[in-house]
Each structure stands twice: as C-alpha cells, then as structure tokens.
C-alpha cells in the first residue's frame, strides 16, 4: 500500500500506551518494503539500528508502518524528551508554518528567535549577562562554541576528553574520541585539538580530584595553557557510555580553566533540557560553564541548536562572524518555545528523576542476579548499564548488541552506546508511564536471562 493511502495516524500522548508486535517478528511487511526501498535509495553509510519504519509516536510508544507499538526507551537519541508529537508543540509548529516558514535571522530578526535566546539566557546556569546564537544541529553548536572561544581568547588550541562525542563535522570529529565508526577514513582532521584523560570511575577508580589533577597535568604538559582557547566537555558523557564523572572532577577542571583564562565549554547537547533531572546537568555538579552548547531536546523534535555564554565571550567574533541560512528557523523556534514551556510548567525534570529511580531500582534487581551487569549509572532519565564479562571485567559488546536486537523483537526500543559498544542506555521520553517502563524492564530481564 502506498503511504498516501494509509489512514492519517495522529501521534502524541493519546496513542494507546501499549506494547504490541502484531506481525510476530520485525520488520513486518510494510516496514520491510520501506527498508528495501531505503537500501536502493539511501547511502549504506547511514546505518539504521532498528528493524522497522516509524510512522507515529507519543507518550512512551513508537508505532511502526505495520501498526506495531513499541516501547520507546530512546526518544530518537534524547530528542523527544517532551514527548513525540506533543500537541502543544504540534500546534505551535502548524501555526508558525502557516504564517512564516523562514526569514533568515541574518536578514531580519523575528520575535520567536529573540524569545528562545531570552529563555536560554535565563535557564542556563549562572546569573551573569549572557548572549545566545541559534543553529540547527548539535555539532554545529559545538563547532560555533569553539569559534567563539577562539575569537575571545585569541588562542587556537582546544582540549576534548577520552570517550567524548561532539559530532560528525570535521572539527567535531576531531573532538570526538571514538575512531570507528565516527572518524575512520574521514581524515585529515582539524589541527590543534588535543585529547585529555577524563574521569571514568568504573574503569579508572580515581577520585574526582585525582582525575582532574591527571587531566590538568596532561594538558599543561602536552598543550600548554598559553595557546589553549577552550576545554570542551560533556558533563555526563553520552555516546561514550553515560559516564558520570567522579565528584569534584568537573568543579576542579572548571576552576582551573577560569584561573587560566581558558573558556570552559559544556556540551549539554545530550544532557540538556530536564533529561538528567535538572534543566541542565551542569547544575548537578555545581559548575557554571562559560559557554554551553545545546540541541536535541530543545524543540520537541524540530532541528534547533544553541550556543549560550557569557556576553563578552559571545560578542567577541566580529559582526557577521557567526550565522547560517537555517539557524534559528522560525518553525523550530516556535516548537522550542512550546517545548521549553512544557519543561518549565510540566514538572518534567521531577519526572526525569522519578524515571531514573525506577530504572535504577529495576536494573539493580537484575544485576543482583546477573553479574554481567558490571555498572549501573547515570542521572535522571539518562541511565545506563554496562555489560561485562564477569570473570575479567572485559566489555561485552556482543551481549549488548544481542540484547538490543532481542528486545526490539519483543517491542522494546533499547539503544546501546559506549566506547566499547557494551553499554545499554535508557533515554525514554519524560512522558512515558511507569507501566510501560516496568513492562520494558520485564522484557529486558527476560531476554537477558535467555542470552
Ligand atoms: N554532542 C553530547 O550527544 C549527538 C548522535 C549519534 P548532532 N549524539 C547523538 C550519531 O551517531 O550521530 C551529540 C551529542 C553530544 C554533540 C552531538 C551532535 O549533535 O545534532 O547529531 O549534530
């Protein structure tokens, strides 16, 4: 059946909140047809993790082309925190699209762009005077944060950390740690990017203070502060494995950066917008970044990203130095205003903490019976379990992959991550109900036992 003949399926929270694989296995026939067309039309370099084509989503479920209903533990990689096809966001998008789809912020301002900037200046950590610029993707935000830091300091070197993920553009590939699949074959990379050891309590056993001292010593010896414009760090590393640094690590690094005149850039692309139980993860570590990059959860699924920072830093590039055709598109801005309103008035940060507590409790119970779960970590609705060989502690990526593949066949969308690929991660929409979470954890427990 051509997709134009399918009845219009409305997504959002009114979708039945249930897990149901009516086709028995995935992909069902309608998904299979789309996947086959995809293979002929789309570059094979774009891999797809899931064996189904999505047509609608909302609350805590994703509906596929065959009408199967899957529990969403991924939110499209931490994007639809406010819920997919949220009615208020959908309304704001429709109204804005019917009025003005594009103006180009470099040509003429529009109120929604300014309002998003005001909201970010108000909501990001710190009471100092701030400015914001909008972009379309997380990588673009990180890249522009580095541009701003270089313009402000007149220095060029940038430090990123082990296990970091910052994007797929040339500069952000250089900042990203993992070679395969992100970097291999795509060099040469931009010069003057250096990698420092991070804090990884499960693997390095260091206190935050010791890990910071190790990182700072590494930076001072290998880079030198005279040429260092910025350190770029995810407060909780996302793609690298949901690694929560040991207490004190980020504080020490931020204090050292301030003392050295180095711009401290927090990449909160994955951790931002209520995901970790506070509006931004930096708050939980008591740090006030000079510059903060955001994207993903900012606009309920519409492509929008931002760089927010100290006014003197953000105003350092010459007029015209920052921009882009689509950055801060009016439809994306309208979506962001509705989304940010939902975070602020809908108690979603509190809900993230409840989700985190439920997930941690259920995972702890599973791990008490299964030593292959080596570590459970994260904050709020950004929780992960690291799978290891119990005898050696070696990462077990094959198990993570098999578990995710088995769970999706049972109707649970489970993502993996980690430098070694051996981490299962939980990033449900904050609109998911406890019943779905419990059901998903039952499935995961059952499938894990059988593997
Ligand atoms: N910074 C911390 O998590 C995106 C993409 C994974 P873009 N992570 C998910 C993949 O395989 O492409 C991400 C992130 C952090 C930056 C980015 C980049 O954001 O919107 O994908 O460019």
């Amino acid at each position: 059946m051509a997709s134009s003949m399918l009845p219009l399926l409305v997504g959002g929270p009114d979708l039945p909140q249930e897990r149901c694989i009516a086709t028995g296995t995935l992909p069902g026939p309608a998904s299979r047809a789309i996947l086959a067309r995809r293979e002929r039309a789309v570059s094979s370099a774009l891999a797809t993790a899931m064996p189904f084509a999505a047509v609608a989503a909302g609350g805590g479920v994703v509906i596929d082309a065959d009408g199967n209903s899957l529990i969403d533990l991924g939110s499209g990689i931490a994007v639809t925190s406010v819920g997919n096809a949220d009615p208020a966001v959908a309304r704001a998008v429709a109204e804005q699209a019917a009025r003005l789809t594009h103006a180009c912020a470099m040509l003429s301002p529009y109120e929604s762009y300014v309002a998003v900037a005001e909201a970010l200046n108000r909501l990001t950590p710190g009471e100092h005077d701030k400015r914001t610029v909008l972009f379309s993707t997380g990588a673009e935000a990180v890249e522009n944060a580095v541009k701003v830091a270089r313009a402000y300091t007149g220095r060029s070197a940038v430090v990123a950390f082990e296990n970091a993920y910052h994007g797929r553009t040339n500069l952000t590939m250089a900042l990203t740690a993992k070679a395969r699949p992100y970097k291999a074959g795509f060099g040469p990379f931009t010069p003057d990017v250096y990698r420092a050891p991070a804090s990884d309590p499960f693997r390095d056993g260091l206190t935050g203070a010791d890990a910071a001292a190790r990182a700072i010593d590494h930076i001072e010896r290998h880079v030198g502060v005279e040429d260092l414009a910025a350190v770029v760090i995810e407060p909780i590393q996302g793609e690298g494995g949901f690694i929560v640094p040991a207490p004190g690590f980020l504080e020490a690094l931020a204090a050292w950066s301030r003392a050295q005149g180095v711009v401290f850039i927090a990449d909160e692309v994955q951790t931002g917008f209520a995901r970790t139980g506070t509006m931004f993860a930096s708050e939980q570590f008591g740090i006030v970044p000079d510059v903060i990059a955001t994207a993903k959860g900012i606009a309920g699924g519409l492509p929008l990203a931002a760089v927010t920072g100290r006014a003197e830093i953000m105003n350092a590039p010459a007029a015209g130095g920052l921009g882009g055709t689509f950055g801060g598109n009016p439809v994306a801005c309208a979506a962001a205003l509705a989304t940010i309103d939902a975070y602020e008035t809908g108690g979603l940060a509190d809900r993230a903490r409840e989700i985190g507590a439920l997930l941690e409790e259920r995972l702890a119970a599973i791990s008490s019976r299964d030593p292959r779960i080596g570590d459970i970590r994260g904050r709020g609705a950004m929780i992960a379990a690291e799978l290891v060989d119990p005898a050696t502690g070696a990462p077990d990526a094959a198990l993570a992959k098999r578990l995710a593949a088995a769970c999706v066949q049972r109707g649970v969308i489970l993502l993996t991550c980690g430098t070694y690929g051996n981490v299962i991660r939980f990033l449900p929409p904050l609109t998911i109900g406890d019943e779905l979470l419990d059901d998903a954890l039952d499935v995961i427990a059952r499938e894990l036992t059988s593997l």
Side-chain angles (χ1 to χ4, degrees):
M1 182 161 51
S3 55
S4 58
M5 288 163 64
L6 286 171
L8 180 67
L9 181 60
V10 177
D14 292 340
L15 283 174
Q17 297 296 299
E18 62 184 15
R19 177 173 63 86
C20 173
I21 301 296
T23 53
T25 56
L26 297 177
S31 280
R32 201 175 312 123
I34 294 169
L35 290 166
R37 279 169 56 197
R38 175 194 185 282
E39 205 170 302
R40 291 190 296 272
V42 180
S43 162
S44 58
L46 184 87
T48 344
M50 294 293 148
F52 65 84
V55 293
V61 297
V62 174
I63 310 298
D64 80 0
D66 295 283
N68 295 309
S69 179
L70 297 99
I71 301 177
D72 185 5
L73 298 181
S75 301
I77 319 192
V79 171
T80 52
S81 307
V82 73
N84 210 311
D86 173 73
V89 173
R91 207 163 36 244
V93 166
E95 283 172 14
Q96 183 60 48
R99 199 164 47 240
L100 177 78
T101 49
H102 177 72
C104 191
M106 299 182 298
L107 297 184
S108 61
Y110 36 96
E111 199 264 340
S112 56
Y113 188 115
V114 179
V116 171
E118 287 168 347
L120 292 170
N121 294 347
R122 175 169 56 81
L123 291 170
T124 48
E127 298 305 315
H128 49 275
D129 192 21
K130 295 175 201 152
R131 294 293 185 276
T132 288
V133 194
L134 301 180
F135 300 96
S136 302
T137 68
E140 224 188 330
V142 173
E143 181 136 4
N144 278 278
V146 170
K147 283 166 71 173
V148 166
R150 283 176 168 164
Y152 175 69
T153 57
R155 307 170 179 175
S156 67
V158 182
V159 163
F161 291 83
E162 283 175 357
N163 302 312
Y165 183 90
H166 297 291
R168 293 175 181 268
T169 60
N170 189 270
L171 174 57
T172 57
M173 270 194 295
L175 295 169
T176 291
K178 190 172 173 174
R180 261 174 306 274
Y182 304 126
K183 303 166 73 165
F186 296 136
F189 303 110
T190 178
D192 244 2
V193 171
Y194 302 89
R195 191 155 318 281
S199 169
D200 185 353
F202 176 61
R203 297 208 166 268
D204 66 25
L206 293 180
T207 65
D210 287 348
R214 178 178 67 174
I216 290 165
D217 173 64
H218 181 96
I219 296 168
E220 288 178 342
R221 279 187 297 120
H222 293 95
V223 189
V225 292
E226 297 81 357
D227 297 321
L228 184 57
V231 298
V232 184
I233 192 158
E234 301 153 86
I236 298 171
Q237 292 181 318
E239 302 304 306
F242 285 23
I243 303 170
V244 183
F249 174 74
L250 290 170
E251 293 91 315
L253 199 63
W256 174 84
S257 302
R258 195 172 319 113
Q260 304 297 334
V262 172
V263 176
F264 186 92
I265 301 172
D267 177 349
E268 291 235 24
V269 167
Q270 190 153 164
T271 52
F273 298 103
R275 171 58 52 189
T276 65
T278 46
M279 193 60 97
F280 295 99
S282 292
E283 296 163 49
Q284 297 184 39
F285 300 97
I287 55 167
V288 176
D290 297 311
V291 173
I292 170 164
T294 54
K296 289 195 186 280
I298 191 172
L302 276 281
L304 189 72
V307 184
T308 302
R310 295 184 186 280
E312 63 274 22
I313 300 176
M314 295 300 295
N315 289 338
L322 302 180
T325 305
F326 287 123
N329 167 270
V331 180
C333 284
L337 292 174
T339 301
I340 291 169
D341 183 60
Y343 290 132
E344 288 206 273
T345 61
L348 291 182
D350 295 339
R351 180 62 191 148
R353 278 195 296 275
E354 283 172 19
I355 290 171
L358 187 153
L359 290 173
E360 287 193 271
E361 193 188 315
R362 293 290 316 263
L363 288 168
I366 298 172
S367 92
S368 70
R369 300 185 303 268
D370 194 332
R372 293 174 298 174
I373 297 187
D375 192 29
I376 299 163
R377 56 180 179 249
R379 291 283 169 88
M382 182 174 181
I383 299 290
E386 175 153 358
L387 304 179
V388 297
D389 176 336
T392 61
D396 195 344
L399 179 60
K401 203 171 167 184
R402 285 204 311 273
L403 181 59
C407 285
V408 74
Q409 290 299 334
R410 300 280 168 264
V412 175
I413 299 171
L414 179 65
L415 309 184
T416 62
C417 67
T419 293
Y420 300 102
N422 66 319
V423 177
I424 54 168
R425 57 169 154 176
F426 298 81
L427 289 166
L430 306 180
T431 47
I432 195 169
D434 284 357
E435 302 73 27
L436 284 185
L437 285 173
D438 268 322
D439 185 28
L441 266 296
D442 288 345
V443 169
I444 292 167
R446 226 169 20 240
E447 293 304 322
L448 189 58
T449 312
S450 73
L451 290 173

